[in-house]
Amino acid sequence: MEGLLKTKREKSFTIEEDVAICRAWCHITEDSIVGNSQSHAHFWERIFENYSSLQNDHSRAQVSISSRWGVIMKCCNKF
């Protein structure tokens, strides 16, 4: 099966990274100036920028952050 692209799996998220994702999400959703007048893409771009500044780390991809948020939300909703 040569020729197939193999993707490199990223390292697991740490508790500190999970907390930073939650803080970034809260910070962006509580921004009353921008509010709900932003696109989905812009919303996640802002969360990603906020997360990167909180963690001082740019090794995670934006899609990783939004996917991880989905996992976090599922756990919160079960609670």
Side-chain angles (χ1 to χ4, degrees):
M1 298 211 119
E2 290 182 51
L4 292 177
L5 294 176
K6 292 185 179 182
T7 58
K8 182 180 175 187
R9 184 176 168 97
E10 291 187 32
K11 63 181 179 169
S12 297
F13 280 86
T14 64
I15 293 172
E16 291 80 17
E17 288 174 314
D18 284 348
V19 169
I21 292 169
C22 294
R23 286 185 176 163
W25 188 87
C26 286
H27 179 78
I28 299 306
T29 57
E30 293 174 352
D31 183 0
S32 61
I33 295 173
V34 176
N36 61 1
S37 63
Q38 57 189 328
S39 68
H40 181 266
H42 187 248
F43 174 73
W44 279 105
E45 183 179 312
R46 292 182 65 215
I47 291 175
F48 177 69
E49 289 171 1
N50 195 281
Y51 166 82
S52 295
S53 67
L54 285 171
Q55 283 297 103
N56 197 20
D57 178 23
H58 300 279
S59 65
R60 298 284 186 181
Q62 183 175 331
V63 69
S64 267
I65 303 302
S66 63
S67 293
R68 185 61 180 174
W69 175 250
V71 172
I72 293 168
M73 279 304 296
K74 281 183 183 178
C75 292
C76 289
N77 288 337
K78 284 183 181 180
F79 178 72

